[in-house]
Amino acid sequence: MGKFPDTNLADSLQRIPGVVIDRDAGEGRGITVRGLGQDFTRVPINGIEGLATTGGTDSSGGANRSRGFDFNVFASELFSSLTVRKSSSADVDEGSLGATVDLQTMRPLDMKGGFNASASVKGRYNDLSGKTNPRLAFLVSNTSKDRKFGVLVSGALSQRQVLEEGFSTVRWDNGPSSGGWCAPLGVTPANPATSTATTCGPAAQGVPRVAGTPAAIAAYGAASSVANFTPRLPRYGRLTHDQDRLGLTAAMQWRPAAGTRLTLEMLYAKLDATRQEDFLQAISFSRSATQGGKPQTSVLETEYAANGALLYGKYNGVDIRAESRFDELSTIFTQPTLTIEQDITCDLRVSAKLGSAKSKFRNRVQTTTTLDASNVNGYVIDFRSSDRLPSITYPFDVSQSGGPLKLVGVPVVASGTQPSSVPNTTTSEIRIRPQGATNTNDVGQVDLVWDVMPDKLTLKGGVNVKKFTFNSYESRRVNQGDSIFAPPAGADLAALTTQVTNFGSSLGMPAGTPTTWVIPNLNAIAKAYDIYCNCIKNGPAGGPGDFTLSSTTNGAARGNNRAVTEEDKGVYLMGDFTHQLGPIPLRGNFGARYVQTALSATGY
């Protein structure tokens, strides 16, 4: 392990036949075996089942609240071996339909005698970010001359700065979805309640319906077909990932008498990361009339491929958004393990193992801010030259600070009830969603092995007790729409924005597609609005000026506040045999396992 230029443990696992990995930020995160995802894989570390979890982009699963193991928490240099068991047997704990992955850290008495030390220094270069990141690892061990006592310490430290750029659709929707398109004049709307005779949407917030020319009617008819599909959120985006990964192991082994071995092991891993996601996107195609979405969008020209995928489209009444999300993520994994092995006779031996594995994931900052331009006319998206990098044309300068892309707030009313949103319109948002998950596995196990016929028949038996606890939390603003008021009086509007620049320099971007655009400046907005005060800054409770967070009382966050406690008691008996049938070697095992599980779960 650790001899190949693998980014983490998942990258090492993919070298085993039948193991496929899922990637996040360009590195392995989870594994799939036999077509079954990471939820169906168990991972014992030094014989103790563990569960390491972290967070990722929404497209790669977001925060891990499942039973799946995130292998990107660990550097491969920390482990001496890994075993992927694709077949079940009675002595292997239940719960894995895909595979059981046994991870083993290094032990001093497995090394050659005396003092041992090694170190490695590597570098990784990312051509998009233009940065070289270090990767360091070391191991130090020493054993007594009689090899009755040994101590080992190892560690791995790496930094990673990765930049990703590209286009995404965030899935596809067909013509009638989200209430359908805005009908041209003279055409009966698909949803008459969302239109007037001359506007798409109510007169106050609606946009004019286009003239009912034969071309406009034909384009509307094609776009409205259930067989034709449009991207939900066509967007170019840049993702910047910064990671610091630290792993440490320590092991002490003692042979106080012949046939006796005590092993104390400790594993510590920490993964700290920040992630910035910046997008320029059209948000109308996946939104309903109440959000000022698709029913307010008119189709001027369109063309579809034979399979129904959009090739070309020109639209009026499109809401354009510059979105920026910032995450701070941290995972701390700890596992102490004590193993006692005793030879009772030369053919009979017993071992006992006690350990606890704890993974603490925290996404303390997950904040999204947006700039918006509503009901833009003349938006064009063109896939005809490339189905991966479309040409996108905006009818205004998306790089202009103080231009059409701005903080669109909810107007303050002088009297009466202050609304928290604008009907039939999408305003700018400040989303605040701190969250986390903690997993703990406490395990005790005793095994007895009897070599009935050495090298031919071995009987095994054992009992184990496990307790697994899981706790997840998330908080969000009590303002369910995440809306805001206009920038505070006296705020420097230019300072509330910044820019994405030099986008797509290595992508071969289509001519005319913006490579610079304005985005929210999170630090400036956080200071101007005091968004992390967990309080009402202005206006009524639950309104645009309320930055109070809530969890179980919050309809949007409630589902991620849940807990599970699982207790397992198991016993097994099995036999391993080896036999020679003439020239054919025959080996196998037989046995039975009995498990009793008690489960308690709370949630909303």
Side-chain angles (χ1 to χ4, degrees), residues 172-515:
W172 297 66
D173 279 344
N174 67 3
S177 67
S178 300
W181 304 94
C182 174
L185 291 171
V187 177
T188 302
N191 192 348
T194 63
S195 301
T196 70
T198 58
T199 65
C200 301
Q205 290 91 24
V207 296
R209 297 166 69 175
V210 299
T213 64
I217 294 174
Y220 170 77
S224 300
S225 169
V226 296
N228 288 336
F229 290 78
T230 303
R232 293 180 66 253
L233 285 171
R235 61 187 187 179
Y236 278 99
R238 171 183 288 172
L239 282 69
T240 305
H241 307 261
D242 291 347
Q243 292 180 343
D244 292 313
R245 183 184 290 111
L246 172 66
L248 297 170
T249 75
M252 182 177 66
Q253 289 187 293
W254 181 35
R255 289 173 171 163
T260 303
R261 177 185 290 190
L262 280 73
T263 303
L264 178 62
E265 297 167 288
M266 182 68 187
L267 173 62
Y268 173 88
K270 185 176 183 182
L271 178 64
D272 289 328
T274 61
R275 182 175 59 247
Q276 177 84 24
E277 303 178 42
D278 298 312
F279 299 101
L280 180 62
Q281 58 199 0
I283 63 174
S284 295
F285 303 141
S286 63
R287 297 194 167 218
S288 63
T290 58
Q291 299 169 298
K294 195 172 177 180
Q296 288 191 9
T297 301
S298 298
V299 186
L300 304 181
E301 303 170 14
T302 194
E303 184 179 339
Y304 291 87
N307 65 355
L310 179 72
L311 288 178
Y312 170 82
K314 185 175 183 180
Y315 307 90
N316 277 358
V318 179
D319 295 336
I320 306 300
R321 167 168 285 183
E323 178 178 318
S324 183
R325 170 173 154 178
F326 179 75
D327 285 80
E328 290 183 1
L329 309 108
S330 174
T331 296
I332 296 178
F333 182 92
T334 56
Q335 181 183 306
T337 307
L338 175 63
T339 305
I340 303 174
E341 300 166 280
Q342 177 65 56
D343 293 345
I344 301 174
T345 69
C346 60
D347 297 325
L348 185 65
R349 53 194 179 274
V350 64
S351 66
K353 191 179 294 287
L354 185 67
S356 177
K358 182 176 183 180
S359 172
K360 183 178 179 180
F361 163 68
R362 295 294 181 263
N363 192 170
R364 292 184 176 86
V365 177
Q366 186 189 108
T367 304
T368 301
T369 51
T370 70
L371 304 175
D372 292 88
S374 302
N375 300 325
V376 170
N377 293 333
Y379 171 83
V380 175
I381 181 169
D382 189 348
F383 289 92
R384 290 175 296 188
S385 296
S386 171
D387 62 354
R388 293 294 182 267
L389 295 173
S391 170
I392 299 180
T393 303
Y394 299 89
F396 62 90
D397 184 2
V398 295
S399 67
Q400 180 185 355
S401 178
L405 279 171
K406 58 187 177 181
L407 289 168
V408 179
V410 177
V412 178
V413 296
S415 61
T417 302
Q418 171 64 55
S420 60
S421 61
V422 180
N424 308 293
T425 300
T426 294
T427 59
S428 297
E429 301 175 9
I430 296 179
R431 305 176 204 149
I432 308 173
R433 300 176 181 178
Q435 55 192 287
T438 301
N439 297 274
T440 304
N441 276 287
D442 298 319
V443 180
Q445 182 163 331
V446 177
D447 297 282
L448 188 67
V449 179
W450 178 26
D451 293 325
V452 180
M453 301 173 63
D455 299 326
K456 290 186 178 181
L457 177 63
T458 300
L459 295 181
K460 301 178 181 180
V463 296
N464 72 335
V465 178
K466 296 186 293 183
K467 183 178 181 181
F468 167 73
T469 58
F470 160 80
N471 185 278
S472 165
Y473 75 90
E474 180 179 354
S475 297
R476 297 192 183 190
R477 290 179 63 187
V478 296
N479 174 1
Q480 298 287 283
D482 298 312
S483 59
I484 58 174
F485 285 126
D492 184 352
L493 299 184
L496 297 180
T497 64
T498 183
Q499 284 186 334
V500 168
T501 60
N502 196 34
F503 177 84
S505 57
S506 64
L507 290 178
M509 295 286 289
T513 301
T515 58

